[in-house]
Amino acid sequence: MRNFLMMMTTALAMLPVQLSAQDLPPGEGQDLVMTSCTGCHGTRNIRNALGYSAEDWKTLALTMIDLDGTPELDIISAYLAEHFPPSDARAPVRVDGPVQIAFESWSGPTRGQRARDPVEAPDKSI
């Protein structure tokens, strides 16, 4: 059984992983989006987003990756804004009248930190 598991693990590791650029429209910046964005999440997150202006895509990207001050960020945000602009189809809908809601809050990662990165607590634990 152990040999079988090792063979299967090896076979799966040799299969090509396809984060296909075909998932994204062609254009200047597509390759940068594929290399910069899909290392942490799939193209589905981009395709299913509400859509943003170039400035809003840039703001969103700065919360995820540290590209501040690089020309690549301008190319990435321009590409995303061109192909994934704001969409009314997924926009929030205002609900009139009294509505009871509850908010839950939690600490998010700091700028440039990915959610999977370890964080040091005040007591020095990770």
Side-chain angles (χ1 to χ4, degrees), residues 21-45:
Q22 296 171 4
D23 289 346
L24 297 174
E28 181 186 5
Q30 178 193 37
D31 56 337
L32 289 170
V33 170
M34 289 302 298
T35 57
S36 299
C37 303
T38 62
C40 297
H41 58 77
T43 57
R44 182 180 64 186
N45 293 43

Side-chain angles (χ1 to χ4, degrees), residues 19-93:
L19 289 174
S20 175
Q22 296 171 4
D23 289 346
L24 297 174
E28 181 186 5
Q30 178 193 37
D31 56 337
L32 289 170
V33 170
M34 289 302 298
T35 57
S36 299
C37 303
T38 62
C40 297
H41 58 77
T43 57
R44 182 180 64 186
N45 293 43
I46 298 167
R47 291 188 325 270
N48 291 341
L50 291 174
Y52 304 101
S53 66
E55 190 60 34
D56 289 340
W57 275 114
K58 187 175 185 177
T59 300
L60 181 61
L62 286 171
T63 68
M64 293 183 263
I65 53 177
D66 190 12
L67 291 176
D68 194 16
T70 62
E72 288 84 8
L73 183 55
D74 290 332
I75 294 169
I76 289 170
S77 59
Y79 169 84
L80 292 171
E82 178 183 348
H83 298 287
F84 303 97
S87 169
D88 290 336
R90 296 183 49 99
V93 177

